[in-house]
């Protein structure tokens, strides 16, 4: 049985999204007898426990790896200096890998990470990890999976399409310009979604205002109340190596607070639309689980979603958004798409946390065997 230490940072845990809390404890869903897990919330500890060094594997969770973009990163990083004494395997699970990418890359080198669980394929790996891409073993994974208990409860919460009181819902943060086009489209969906759909007669509950944020288990109830939800790919179209793009955009907005995204991109030399670091996000799977059809901006969606089978597509400029009104009024069509997505992503069992946990442990056991063989040779 592997002994695994998961290091995370859950500040204000009660305010965290359910998807983040589920992701931290992904190893809880491994096959019985495969792993013994210790979870340490570094936001709550003040001293190193010598027993941490006795584990077979240390996992650096994405919530901890977010330290790289904090102003006090140098101070926080010193809190992991004890890991230099660790002789086992070190795995990192970063997300938002495009944000302070090269800071992350160098940090993982210093922590002697051998395995990186990444959200992206190898297309841009050398860009994101100029040093680690030739040192580490990369495991591709989604940013979130389905929690089995929530799948069971969702079965009871799901309502027939015809019994739902809202036609279209949407919530998102108004992300700053330095997340690029992929960040900007989230705000546009909220702002233009209302204006473009207001004349269709559809019942709307669309907002990007912070005070309208839906947290915790209420999010799943919110999804279950609607026939559909607007959405786009998770990610960014900016490679911000050390936070310099964000710094530049902040300085531009300080001088010109009303600067448009298009003008900001021009002043940044096209850096805000240069790349496409996109992936399927937890909210996509949550919507499917609740039987809520997704109206999504055209994209790749980790190669898993097919338009008109798993979602209703709209153009990147949102110009055809009003045209979805007739589709969303069609109970048979909406039900068919919802049921197809439910069958492929929930009933199939292919996207549960048990899959992530057991695949991760397979990799760890393989590395452990290789290391043992090398030491005995």
């Amino acid at each position: 049985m592997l002994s695994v230490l998961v290091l995370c940072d859950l500040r204000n845990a009660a305010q965290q999204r359910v998807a983040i809390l589920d992701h931290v404890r992904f190893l809880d869903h491994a096959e019985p007898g495969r792993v013994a897990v210790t979870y340490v919330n570094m936001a709550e500890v003040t001293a190193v426990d010598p027993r941490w060094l006795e584990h077979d594997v240390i996992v650096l969770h994405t919530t901890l790896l977010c330290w790289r973009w904090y102003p006090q990163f140098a101070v926080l990083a010193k809190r992991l200096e004890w890991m230099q004494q660790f002789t086992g395997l070190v795995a990192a699970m970063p997300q938002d890998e495009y944000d302070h990418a090269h800071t992350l890359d160098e940090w993982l080198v210093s922590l002697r990470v051998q395995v990186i669980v990444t959200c992206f394929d190898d297309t841009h790996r050398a860009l994101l990890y100029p040093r680690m891409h030739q040192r580490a073993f990369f495991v591709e994974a989604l940013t979130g999976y389905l929690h089995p208990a929530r799948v069971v409860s969702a079965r009871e919460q799901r309502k027939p399409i015809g019994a739902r009181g809202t036609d279209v819902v949407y919530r998102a943060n108004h992300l700053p310009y330095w997340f690029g086009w992929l960040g900007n489209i989230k705000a546009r969906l909220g702002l233009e979604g209302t204006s473009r759909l207001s004349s269709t007669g559809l019942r709307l509950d669309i907002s990007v205002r912070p005070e309208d944020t839906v947290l915790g288990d209420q999010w799943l109830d919110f999804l279950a109340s609607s026939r559909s939800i607007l959405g786009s790919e998770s990610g960014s179209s900016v490679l911000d190596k050390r936070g310099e793009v964000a710094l530049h955009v902040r300085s531009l907005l300080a001088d010109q607070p009303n600067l448009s995204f298009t003008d900001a991109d021009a002043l940044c030399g096209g850096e805000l639309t240069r790349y496409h670091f996109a992936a399927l996000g937890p909210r996509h799977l949550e919507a499917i689980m609740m039987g809520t059809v997704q109206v999504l901006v055209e994209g790749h969606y980790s190669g898993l979603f097919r338009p008109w089978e798993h979602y209703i597509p709209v153009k990147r400029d949102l110009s055809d958004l009003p045209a979805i009104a007739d589709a969303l009024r069609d109970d048979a069509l909406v039900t068919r798409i919802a049921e197809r997505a439910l069958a492929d992503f929930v009933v199939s069992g292919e996207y549960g946390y048990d899959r992530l946990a057991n695949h991760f442990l397979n990799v760890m056991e393989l590395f452990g065997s290789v290391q043992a063989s090398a030491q005995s040779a």
Side-chain angles (χ1 to χ4, degrees):
M1 179 184 293
L2 278 178
S3 173
V4 178
L5 175 69
V6 176
L7 300 179
C8 60
D9 186 327
L10 295 175
R11 300 166 191 231
N12 303 314
Q15 299 300 315
Q16 294 283 355
R17 287 177 55 197
V18 168
I20 294 174
L21 300 177
D22 288 348
H23 193 274
V24 168
R25 300 189 67 95
F26 77 102
L27 285 172
D28 288 356
H29 307 285
E31 294 171 2
R34 289 198 70 180
V35 62
V37 191
T38 301
Y39 297 97
V40 174
N41 183 359
M42 294 296 289
E44 297 178 347
V45 301
T46 56
V48 175
D49 187 334
R51 292 174 296 180
W52 295 349
L53 295 169
E54 298 171 3
H55 290 81
D56 301 313
V57 180
I58 291 179
V59 176
L60 306 173
H61 189 259
T62 180
T63 53
L64 179 124
L65 295 173
C66 290
W67 285 359
R68 68 186 183 273
W69 58 69
Y70 291 178
Q72 66 273 35
F73 169 63
V75 174
L76 290 169
K78 288 183 178 179
R79 297 184 60 197
L80 297 182
E81 287 182 343
W82 57 270
M83 285 184 57
Q84 297 302 321
Q85 304 172 54
F86 183 65
T87 57
L89 294 171
V90 182
M93 303 184 73
Q95 293 187 14
D96 301 328
E97 297 160 75
Y98 40 78
D99 194 344
H100 286 69
H102 292 188
T103 301
L104 173 66
D105 182 54
E106 292 169 3
W107 191 22
L108 298 187
V109 170
S110 71
L111 293 171
R112 297 181 297 161
V113 168
Q114 295 111 311
V115 177
I116 298 175
V117 181
T118 178
C119 304
F120 305 117
D121 61 23
D122 60 1
T123 307
H124 300 301
R125 198 159 289 162
L127 278 172
L128 294 169
Y129 298 98
R131 298 178 68 182
M132 288 298 293
H133 82 279
Q134 293 183 322
R135 297 176 179 229
F137 181 79
F138 286 80
V139 179
E140 292 180 32
L142 300 180
T143 57
Y145 288 78
L146 295 170
H147 190 291
R150 301 192 198 288
V151 170
V152 172
S153 62
R155 208 175 297 147
E156 301 173 358
Q157 288 177 267
R158 281 196 300 269
K159 302 175 183 177
I161 289 298
R164 301 193 179 202
T166 309
D167 293 312
V168 187
V169 296
Y170 185 67
R171 292 292 188 275
N173 293 323
H174 201 143
L175 294 174
Y177 286 171
W178 54 84
F179 281 90
W181 183 86
L182 279 167
N184 187 248
I185 192 64
K186 294 184 182 300
R188 285 185 55 205
L189 273 170
L191 299 172
E192 296 185 36
T194 300
S195 62
R196 290 180 182 272
L197 293 172
S198 59
S199 62
T200 63
L202 294 174
R203 299 162 296 177
L204 311 176
D205 187 350
I206 298 171
S207 177
V208 292
R209 300 189 309 171
E211 59 267 33
D212 293 333
T213 300
V214 181
L215 294 172
D217 291 334
Q218 292 180 344
W219 174 249
L220 300 182
D221 294 332
F222 181 65
L223 288 173
S225 71
S226 181
R227 297 164 72 92
S228 72
I229 183 170
L230 303 179
S232 60
E233 290 177 292
S234 294
S236 173
S237 51
V238 176
L239 175 62
D240 202 348
K241 298 175 183 178
R242 303 181 191 279
E244 65 275 13
V245 176
L247 186 62
H248 187 199
V249 172
R250 282 193 180 100
S251 68
L252 290 173
L253 291 174
D255 292 335
Q256 305 176 64
N258 297 319
L259 189 68
S260 71
F261 174 78
T262 300
D263 289 341
D265 185 38
L267 291 171
C268 289
E271 288 296 327
L272 305 185
T273 52
R274 191 176 302 281
Y275 300 99
H276 194 80
F277 302 115
L280 198 71
R283 284 192 169 185
H284 297 121
L285 294 180
E286 290 167 348
I288 292 173
M289 182 176 70
M290 300 313 298
T292 305
V293 168
Q294 297 174 88
V295 177
L296 300 178
V297 177
E298 56 189 1
H300 184 59
Y301 295 96
S302 299
L304 299 176
F305 284 0
R306 293 186 295 275
W308 296 108
E309 288 186 43
H310 301 127
Y311 69 97
I312 296 173
V314 293
K315 295 178 181 178
R316 286 167 61 108
D317 63 4
L318 308 183
S319 60
D320 59 341
L321 200 52
I324 69 165
D326 288 341
L328 289 180
R329 292 191 187 97
D330 186 335
D331 281 7
L333 173 65
V334 174
T335 299
R336 183 171 69 248
I337 294 174
E339 290 181 347
R340 177 60 184 269
L342 193 68
D344 288 351
F345 292 92
V346 179
V347 178
S348 70
E350 294 293 325
Y351 301 93
Y353 269 112
D354 58 325
R355 292 301 179 110
L356 173 63
N358 290 312
H359 180 49
F360 178 83
L361 292 176
N362 289 341
V363 173
M364 294 299 101
E365 290 168 355
L366 175 62
F367 262 76
S369 299
V370 170
Q371 278 194 338
S373 298
Q375 290 170 0
S376 62

